[in-house]
Amino acid sequence: MNLGQYEYPYRKLFRPHVLVVYTHLSYLPKMSYDKLSLHFTKFEKERLKLYKDEQAKYEYAYSHFLLREIIKNEFYMSYDTLTFNFSEHGKPFSDDMNFNLSHSHGYLAFIFSRKLDVGIDVQQHVYLSDSDLSSIGGTLFSKIDYKLIEIASNKLVEFYKIWTQKESYGKAIGKGLLYPTRNVYVDSIQNIVIDLIHQHPLEWKCETVHIRKEATISYAYQITGKENV
């Protein structure tokens, strides 16, 4: 896919009314902060200044630059028609497009929809001991989540699967991880978000992509009325 004067290699996944895109900085041309931030909003420029870690700062700049490039080239919308706003939790949105993005250790991930609320999370795997897994998941994971980790052939991969599922769903509903994460889990067969308190499926799907067992991407989106659940 040709974006402007460069060729940006990325992977695309299509779902009903949804486009998912992901790539890695190692595949992308080096660019200056001045060029990356040329069309940034005041909020984005101020947010960029807050980053202390240089890698994370560059990922933020490149992901927000690439966000605009993808919308322009995949949806044929010019910069002039894109009005970006941000929710109280920092989720970006536009009047013409629902979208979300995430970045981790060079991985950049995006999700777009004209009709549905969406969320996405990417995490590169960092080694965690069993005690680390228990400690981190202690306030976020349900008993079902813990059981899935215990029986998994690769506990670390399963941990990041569940973590990214919860975060992508939280971002889709506009709350990040500021919701009762223990009360929901994702049915891995149908990829449907389940309300554990009321024991019924919610109108959300959540799917996961594993990248060479070194990173995990999960993305959540509303279930359309036309789709059979």
Side-chain angles (χ1 to χ4, degrees):
M1 172 62 63
N2 185 276
L3 301 181
Q5 61 179 313
Y6 296 109
E7 186 79 15
Y8 294 99
Y10 54 71
R11 296 289 301 276
K12 295 190 290 185
L13 301 172
F14 296 94
R15 297 295 182 269
H17 307 298
V18 172
L19 170 65
V20 175
V21 175
Y22 62 94
T23 188
H24 192 276
L25 284 176
S26 61
Y27 299 137
L28 304 174
K30 289 284 187 179
M31 297 177 67
S32 68
Y33 281 113
D34 287 341
K35 183 162 186 176
L36 292 173
S37 62
L38 184 62
H39 296 281
F40 279 13
T41 63
K42 181 180 179 181
F43 178 91
E44 288 170 298
K45 290 179 179 178
E46 291 299 320
R47 189 75 176 268
L48 187 63
K49 293 178 182 178
L50 297 178
Y51 278 88
K52 303 300 182 182
D53 180 80
E54 187 62 28
Q55 173 70 18
K57 180 179 180 180
Y58 192 66
E59 288 174 8
Y60 178 91
Y62 218 124
S63 62
H64 283 244
F65 164 80
L66 198 55
L67 170 71
R68 290 166 165 80
E69 291 292 295
I70 295 170
I71 292 178
K72 182 178 70 174
N73 286 273
E74 296 291 342
F75 298 95
Y76 306 104
M77 299 170 66
S78 69
Y79 287 129
D80 295 336
T81 64
L82 297 178
T83 302
F84 289 86
N85 299 290
F86 295 84
S87 72
E88 60 178 309
H89 297 296
K91 180 182 179 181
F93 64 92
S94 167
D95 294 337
D96 302 310
M97 179 74 61
N98 295 319
F99 58 85
N100 195 227
L101 68 157
S102 180
H103 54 86
S104 173
H105 298 271
Y107 287 98
L108 312 179
F110 310 82
I111 187 169
F112 305 89
S113 178
R114 290 183 182 274
K115 297 184 177 183
L116 311 176
D117 285 327
V118 293
I120 195 166
D121 186 54
V122 58
Q123 295 290 334
Q124 178 175 295
H125 300 173
V126 176
Y127 172 75
L128 297 170
S129 66
D130 287 349
S131 61
D132 290 333
L133 295 177
S134 298
S135 175
I136 295 173
T139 59
L140 299 174
F141 290 179
S142 68
K143 292 181 179 179
I144 295 178
D145 296 326
Y146 273 116
K147 186 64 176 179
L148 291 173
I149 293 174
E150 286 178 2
I151 64 176
S153 58
N154 189 320
K155 292 184 179 181
L156 189 65
V157 170
E158 187 67 21
F159 171 87
Y160 278 107
K161 175 185 176 182
I162 295 171
W163 178 279
T164 56
Q165 286 174 342
K166 292 186 181 295
E167 185 146 8
S168 63
Y169 170 67
K171 292 171 74 176
I173 63 176
K175 296 184 178 181
L177 289 175
L178 300 177
Y179 73 100
T181 57
R182 285 180 170 182
N183 295 347
V184 298
Y185 91 102
V186 177
D187 181 320
S188 297
I189 298 176
Q190 298 187 74
N191 298 318
I192 295 176
V193 181
I194 305 294
D195 179 342
L196 291 175
I197 299 299
H198 300 96
Q199 294 296 313
H200 67 77
L202 300 174
E203 294 297 307
W204 291 88
K205 276 198 170 183
C206 187
E207 301 185 36
T208 300
V209 177
H210 298 294
I211 307 174
R212 297 189 301 275
K213 293 186 178 181
E214 67 180 43
T216 297
I217 299 171
S218 289
Y219 53 95
Y221 58 95
Q222 290 172 305
I223 298 173
T224 69
K226 297 180 180 179
E227 185 174 353
N228 293 324
V229 178

